[in-house]
Amino acid sequence: MAAAVLLAVVVTLVFAEEFWHRHLCPYGTFLSVSAHFAKRGSTVNKDQCIVCGFCEKTCPTAAITADAQGKRRIDSRYCLQCFRCHDVCPTQTIRYGAWAEHV
Ligand code: SF4
Ligand code: SF4
């Protein structure tokens, strides 16, 4: 147990936050599997995205990337549904809903 705690501390200090969420966290792994089958999740309405990048900067798992025009999109495999991106989006264009609603 002590070794596990020590390892967690080292990983937290040495690696970026998304490394933990993407590759080591058991809960994150479980969520990535369930996200594969999910019918709902956080999505960006690209028509209202003003390409500010605030969402990408605040995402703990680096699940948000930009397309060729800079419009953001969310990779559901890495999204924890923490809603941090919802809170910082100035146009409130990130919503939780059925995938088809915001594509
Ligand atoms: S809900 Fe959280 S994990 Fe998902 S894309 Fe937004 S900030 Fe990232
Ligand atoms: S915070 Fe909102 S407006 Fe800004 S890049 Fe992200 S989705 Fe687009």
Side-chain angles (χ1 to χ4, degrees), residues 44 48-55 72 88-91 93-94:
V44 177
Q48 297 173 350
C49 177
I50 59 172
V51 193
C52 67
F54 292 156
C55 57
R72 267 45 179 197
V88 300
C89 179
T91 61
T93 190
I94 304 174

Side-chain angles (χ1 to χ4, degrees), residues 44-64:
V44 177
N45 182 339
K46 290 188 177 183
D47 293 338
Q48 297 173 350
C49 177
I50 59 172
V51 193
C52 67
F54 292 156
C55 57
E56 190 174 342
K57 287 182 188 141
T58 200
C59 178
T61 63
I64 301 174

Side-chain angles (χ1 to χ4, degrees), residues 1 3 6 8 12 19 22 24 30-31 33 38 42 55 74 82 89:
M1 185 65 181
L6 181 63
T12 303
F19 182 81
R22 282 189 175 213
L24 297 177
F30 171 76
L31 280 181
V33 172
S42 292
C55 57
I74 297 173
C82 68
C89 179

Side-chain angles (χ1 to χ4, degrees), residues 17-23 25-35 40-42 58-64 74-86 96 99:
E17 187 178 4
E18 63 261 27
F19 182 81
W20 166 260
H21 289 300
R22 282 189 175 213
H23 303 296
C25 175
Y27 182 60
T29 303
F30 171 76
L31 280 181
S32 68
V33 172
S34 62
R40 302 171 68 82
S42 292
T58 200
C59 178
T61 63
I64 301 174
I74 297 173
D75 188 333
S76 62
R77 292 173 300 167
Y78 303 120
C79 180
L80 303 174
Q81 307 303 342
C82 68
F83 301 143
R84 288 189 202 177
C85 56
H86 297 232
Y96 182 85
W99 299 126

